[in-house]
Amino acid sequence: AENGMIRNDFAVTCAPRKMAELFSLVHSFLVANDQAKSAKALKKGCDSEISAVEGADLLAIYDAHLAENGMSDKKRAKKALPALLSLVNSFLEGKELEKAAKALRKGLETELVEVDGDSLEEIYAKHAKSSAGKKRKADASDSDSDSEEEEAPKKKKKDKKSKKQEAKAEEADSEEEAATKSETPAKAEEEEAEVAEGTPGSKKGGSKTNTPFQRITNDQVYAKVKGGQAEKDRLLDNTFESKSGDGYGSVASDILIQVRGKDFRHEKDRLL
């Protein structure tokens, strides 16, 4: 078989890149655990290229899988290696690499243990998926940092422009303040001249009195009321009692004057 094809012993399909990595990790695991004959049989039975996978170790991947499933550190230290050897044996048998599986069983001093749960392929697939997600997040954070670095000079330019605009605005405000200061003495002189000539609430040619300025005085409010002083006094009292000749209204007034707040509407509707 060529171009990454697995030999007819395996399957008739093309081995994906992740499967080739898994074969390489299994080979490295067998070599590390003194199973050279099994590793050699694996290399012969698999036409995919066996090469070292950087930053990956099959035992570490399986240990992380057990930790995610809630197994304690003490149990993992005791059970991880025997369980992984059983999973590797099942993996080799599933790929019809009987020679490699047989050599593994012969090379072991103890019998293989029974392992329930995910297979070796499923465990590595989960690991590959999580690693790809972490890599995407890292790439996204790198791109964000790059975009921030690109935007930093633009922000500096905007800050310079805003500072210039603020300086211009401050200069304009200072000019306005100077103009108003120059106008205030002239206004003060004009007001003094008006006071000297005579204004309401002041004596002609004299100083101001303590009477505050009122555009309409109290004496002028009811000066033109029809009815004279009696009508003027009546209008100062705005209560219902000041009104006479309304018997029905007096009953309502006696009831509603005792009501406050939300009960007022209720009592008013009862009178209608």
Side-chain angles (χ1 to χ4, degrees), residues 25-255:
L25 287 173
V26 170
H27 181 269
S28 300
F29 172 75
L30 293 172
V31 172
N33 287 276
D34 298 328
Q35 300 296 328
K37 292 183 178 179
S38 179
K40 187 176 180 180
L42 169 63
K43 196 170 185 179
K44 285 183 178 180
C46 177
D47 283 341
S48 61
E49 185 179 356
I50 301 295
S51 59
V53 181
E54 295 182 2
D57 179 70
L58 193 60
L59 183 58
I61 293 170
Y62 184 62
D63 186 74
H65 170 74
L66 294 178
E68 288 177 359
N69 290 334
M71 185 177 287
S72 63
D73 296 341
K74 190 175 182 181
K75 287 185 178 180
R76 293 203 312 273
K78 184 178 180 181
K79 295 183 178 181
L81 183 59
L84 183 56
L85 288 169
S86 297
L87 288 174
V88 169
N89 180 71
S90 300
F91 172 75
L92 295 174
E93 289 178 348
K95 300 303 179 183
E96 298 183 3
L97 290 167
E98 292 294 341
K99 291 183 179 179
K102 187 176 180 180
L104 174 61
R105 291 192 297 271
K106 283 185 177 180
L108 293 175
E109 296 178 357
T110 58
E111 295 183 358
L112 294 172
V113 297
E114 294 184 2
V115 181
D116 298 328
D118 296 335
S119 65
L120 187 62
E121 292 181 57
E122 292 171 341
I123 293 169
Y124 186 69
K126 292 178 181 179
H127 165 74
K129 188 176 181 180
S130 63
S131 299
K134 291 177 182 178
K135 187 177 181 182
R136 283 195 296 271
K137 288 182 180 179
D139 293 340
S141 61
D142 292 340
S143 62
D144 292 340
S145 60
D146 293 338
S147 61
E148 289 176 358
E149 291 176 357
E150 291 175 357
E151 290 176 358
K154 295 180 181 178
K155 288 183 179 179
K156 289 181 179 179
K157 290 181 181 179
K158 289 181 180 179
D159 293 339
K160 288 181 180 179
K161 289 182 180 179
S162 61
K163 286 181 180 179
K164 289 180 180 179
Q165 292 175 355
E166 289 177 359
K168 289 181 180 179
E170 289 177 358
E171 289 178 1
D173 293 338
S174 61
E175 290 176 358
E176 289 179 1
E177 289 177 1
T180 53
K181 286 180 181 178
S182 63
E183 290 175 359
T184 49
K187 288 182 179 180
E189 291 176 0
E190 290 177 0
E191 290 176 357
E192 289 176 1
E194 290 177 357
V195 171
E197 291 176 359
T199 57
S202 65
K203 294 181 181 180
K204 188 174 182 180
S207 61
K208 288 184 178 180
T209 63
N210 292 328
T211 305
F213 172 76
Q214 292 180 335
R215 191 173 298 278
I216 300 174
T217 61
N218 292 332
D219 296 336
Q220 296 173 345
V221 174
Y222 297 101
K224 297 182 180 181
V225 173
K226 293 181 180 180
Q229 185 65 31
E231 185 67 13
K232 175 181 175 181
D233 295 338
R234 191 187 70 80
L235 290 175
L236 290 174
D237 186 4
N238 199 27
T239 62
F240 180 80
E241 285 74 11
S242 65
K243 185 179 179 182
S244 60
D246 189 358
Y248 180 78
S250 63
V251 174
S253 176
D254 293 339
I255 295 173

Side-chain angles (χ1 to χ4, degrees), residues 1-6 14-15 47:
E2 296 179 357
N3 298 325
M5 292 290 293
I6 305 298
C14 191
D47 283 341

Side-chain angles (χ1 to χ4, degrees), residues 19 22 70 83 94 205 228 230:
M19 184 61 69
L22 181 55

